């Protein structure tokens, strides 16, 4: 992956050198190149050097759940089909433009959210207790993460409008008291552009009795 990124970077540098050797960087068009090509080059470099965007989440919620949605979501999270028995078992409630994410502790969310530029390729789930994924539409281009029940926004993130696959990795779920705010549970949330919206449990957490 690093080698591929370096090759892309080298190609970009060559492209810049070609531009500067042509009339674009001539004296007569210096102003144009400064205002058009330099910003473009900076944007291209930002994509090369930042293949994903990472956000650290640390906030309080209630009732062992929080939400990820489009800023203008219309789905009814109070519908019986949203937090259905199947959703509770999967630890993920799914609607067209909003997801409900289940947590082990009652209220403290500690998570990392990554907006990826390619599908998540992680296959080894041995370090996690539970892994589940589904899809959500972010039509407005503004992704929200917020708590329950007062919908206090913990994160606003600008993304490319479209449908995203969201995978939630949960770990530290064992021996967490669901009635206490604090626990050792943590979460990693990866999302990438994908039209597949079906919920799928990749690893099921089985609580010890």
């Amino acid at each position: 992956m690093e080698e591929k990124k370096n090759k892309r970077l080298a190609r970009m540098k060559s492209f810049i050198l070609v531009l500067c050797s042509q009339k674009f960087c001539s004296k007569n068009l210096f102003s144009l190149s400064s205002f058009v090509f330099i910003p473009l080059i900076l944007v291209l470099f930002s994509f090369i050097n930042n293949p994903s965007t990472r956000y650290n989440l640390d906030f309080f919620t209630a009732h062992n759940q929080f939400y990820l949605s489009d800023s203008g979501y219309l789905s009814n999270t109070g519908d019986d089909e949203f937090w259905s028995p199947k959703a509770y078992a999967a630890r993920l409630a799914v609607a067209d433009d909003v997801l409900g994410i289940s947590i082990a502790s009652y209220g403290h969310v500690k998570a990392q959210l990554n907006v990826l530029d390619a599908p998540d390729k992680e296959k080894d789930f041995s370090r996690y207790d539970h892994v589940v994924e589904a899809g959500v539409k972010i039509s407005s281009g503004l992704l929200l993460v917020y708590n329950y029940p007062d919908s206090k926004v913990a994160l606003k993130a600008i993304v490319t409008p479209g449908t995203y696959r969201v995978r939630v990795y949960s770990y530290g779920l064992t021996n967490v008291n669901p009635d206490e705010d604090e626990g050792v549970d943590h979460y990693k949330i990866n999302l990438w552009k994908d039209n597949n919206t079906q919920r799928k449990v990749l690893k099921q957490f089985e609580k010890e009795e």
Side-chain angles (χ1 to χ4, degrees), residues 42-105:
L42 291 175
V43 170
L44 291 172
F45 267 107
S46 70
F47 280 104
I48 291 172
N49 293 321
N50 297 284
S52 65
T53 305
R54 177 178 299 176
Y55 302 93
N56 291 319
L57 300 172
D58 191 340
F59 64 95
F60 283 90
T61 186
H63 301 283
N64 312 94
Q65 61 192 265
F66 69 98
Y67 291 80
L68 182 154
S69 78
D70 180 65
S71 63
Y73 81 92
L74 299 174
S75 299
N76 181 13
T77 58
D79 189 283
D80 290 340
E81 291 301 312
F82 186 69
W83 279 113
S84 64
K86 188 174 182 179
Y88 277 113
R91 308 183 68 85
L92 186 68
V94 180
D96 188 54
D97 48 11
V98 58
L99 299 177
I101 300 171
S102 176
I103 62 172
S105 54

Side-chain angles (χ1 to χ4, degrees), residues 64 91 102-111 129 170-174 176-177 180-187:
N64 312 94
R91 308 183 68 85
S102 176
I103 62 172
S105 54
Y106 183 79
H108 193 179
V109 178
K110 293 157 286 186
D129 295 317
S170 306
Y171 50 105
L173 303 185
T174 306
V176 174
N177 187 334
E180 293 184 358
D181 273 342
E182 292 292 342
V184 295
D185 51 320
H186 282 75
Y187 306 87

Side-chain angles (χ1 to χ4, degrees), residues 29-50:
L29 293 177
F30 179 78
S31 179
L32 178 62
S33 65
S34 297
F35 287 100
V36 176
F37 289 101
I38 292 177
L40 175 60
I41 290 166
L42 291 175
V43 170
L44 291 172
F45 267 107
S46 70
F47 280 104
I48 291 172
N49 293 321
N50 297 284

